[in-house]
Each structure stands twice: as C-alpha cells, then as structure tokens.
Amino acid sequence: MKFTLQREEKYNIIKVDEEKLDSTISPDLKSEFLTMQGQGIGNLIVDLSEVKYIDSSGLGALLVGNRVFTEGGGSFVMSGVSDHAKKLISISQLDKVLTVLPTVEESIDLVFMNELEQGLKEEGDAE
C-alpha cells in the first residue's frame, strides 16, 4: 500500500496514495491504523483524496480505524472522500458512525475542537 504520513504534535495525517481501497489494500491499512494507535497517536486524519473507489473491505478497514482511535479517546476523521465512497457510506448508514469532512483543513479544525472539549471536560472533572 502506498501512503504518506504527516506527523504533527496533536494529530497525524495519513494520505492513501492508491486509486482503490479494496481487499488488496485493506489489510495493510488496518495494520497501519493499529500500529499508529499502538505508538500513542491519538488523533488521525485519513486523506482519501486520491481514492476513487472503496469496497466493503475498505469500509471495514476504516471502521477498524474509527473504533481504535475513538475508543482510545482520540479523533478519527476522513477527508477528501469521493462521491462514490460517500454514497456507499450513506447507503450503509455509516455516516452516523464515521466523521467525514470535505477537506483536510476542516478535519484539522475538528481535531483541535475535540482536543479543547476534552481539556475542558477534564478540567471540569477535576473540580
């Protein structure tokens, strides 16, 4: 699987550099998500702007990433999702589970908002 990883202090961005996210790539993507989470990465933005086609195994990999990062208290945001993939996500009603935003910049903003909310919640619990 071809991808690029951009590491920042509060988040990481993985850009999938493939046209298809299918059964040939999905196991590698799942493995990458688990590795990143195991390394202590809390917030992940998945840039799918190069991906034109996603099948059910690709959605499964994205669901694994979503579960791993959100259960750990972090954010998992997808951006640059093609129209085909948006339809698939909507038809399977995963739009209620997955966070999909149009651009990486909006995804970064959401991660920072979630970090602020988390900090305020922890502050409130401490009092």
Side-chain angles (χ1 to χ4, degrees):
M1 177 181 81
K2 292 184 275 181
F3 68 92
T4 52
L5 184 63
Q6 178 183 339
R7 295 181 182 270
E8 300 294 336
E9 185 179 341
K10 296 282 186 189
Y11 61 89
N12 284 313
I13 300 171
I14 184 169
K15 181 177 183 186
V16 180
D17 295 323
E18 301 276 355
E19 282 199 15
K20 292 182 178 182
L21 182 51
D22 56 17
S23 59
T24 59
I25 294 175
S26 298
D28 294 339
L29 188 58
K30 281 184 203 177
S31 174
E32 200 59 44
F33 289 153
L34 294 170
T35 301
M36 287 180 197
Q37 202 273 337
Q39 293 172 345
I41 294 170
N43 300 305
L44 185 65
I45 297 168
V46 183
D47 183 354
L48 297 171
S49 57
E50 298 295 318
V51 177
K52 305 299 176 220
Y53 174 81
I54 297 179
D55 70 3
S56 59
S57 63
L59 278 181
L62 294 169
L63 284 169
V64 166
N66 185 65
R67 180 180 48 83
V68 165
F69 283 92
T70 57
E71 283 181 359
S75 298
F76 183 85
V77 187
M78 299 182 317
S79 66
V81 178
S82 70
D83 289 339
H84 162 75
K86 283 181 193 170
K87 286 179 190 170
L88 186 60
I89 290 168
S90 179
I91 288 169
S92 55
Q93 297 187 345
L94 293 175
D95 51 347
K96 296 170 178 62
V97 177
L98 298 170
T99 304
V100 180
L101 293 174
T103 65
V104 170
E105 291 76 18
E106 289 173 278
S107 299
I108 293 169
D109 290 344
L110 179 67
V111 167
F112 279 113
M113 288 299 297
N114 289 344
E115 285 282 311
L116 282 172
E117 286 178 13
Q118 194 81 3
L120 292 173
K121 195 183 300 179
E122 288 171 7
E123 226 174 73
D125 290 345
E127 291 176 6

